[in-house]
Amino acid sequence: MWAANPDEHTVGPITASASAGGITVTATAKLHQITWDMGDGATVKCPTAGTPYKSAYGNTKSPDCGHVYEKSSSKQTGGKYTVTATSDWVITWEGAGQTGTIRLNGLTRTVAIAVGEAQVLVQ
């Protein structure tokens, strides 16, 4: 699995500042991890945005964030597994002589995917 188009808005780091009353606060947010609920009962935690699949990889496993379905999705509602990615972020800030850390958890996206099954007979 992977985050599509990973950039500062999807995985960070992204930095922003705000000023008021002579005080400036700067905050930097970056991805801590993505938790994938695969829809088949499995959960996968990935500390990175993942590596996009390329057909040249063939059947090799993901180097950093993968899952193998053991059954097709044909018996699921709509014939698809519902996959949910939940990102957790860490935000560090500083300003007015202070610093801190804020956790931002639970940003989610969901997609339904069909998983097929191939059967091979050998005689």
Side-chain angles (χ1 to χ4, degrees):
M1 292 87 57
W2 62 92
N5 306 314
D7 62 17
E8 66 274 5
H9 297 286
T10 55
V11 296
I14 186 168
T15 300
S17 296
S19 298
I23 297 174
T24 299
V25 176
T26 301
T28 300
K30 70 178 213 172
L31 180 69
H32 172 67
Q33 73 179 8
I34 301 174
T35 302
W36 298 85
D37 178 338
M38 302 309 300
D40 65 348
T43 301
V44 180
K45 293 186 179 196
C46 302
T48 69
T51 302
Y53 177 77
K54 294 179 185 174
S55 59
Y57 296 158
N59 290 331
T60 60
K61 291 185 178 183
S62 170
D64 55 4
C65 188
H67 175 68
V68 176
Y69 284 97
E70 299 294 328
K71 296 181 182 180
S72 83
S73 59
S74 63
K75 295 183 180 178
Q76 301 298 310
T77 303
K80 296 180 178 181
Y81 287 115
T82 300
V83 178
T84 302
T86 303
S87 62
D88 297 327
W89 292 72
V90 174
I91 304 162
T92 55
W93 63 270
E94 61 180 29
Q98 304 290 313
T99 62
T101 301
I102 301 168
R103 294 294 302 263
L104 178 61
N105 299 329
L107 303 174
T108 64
R109 294 287 186 266
T110 301
V111 66
I113 61 167
V115 175
E117 179 179 12
Q119 295 183 4
V120 179
L121 296 175
V122 178
Q123 293 186 2

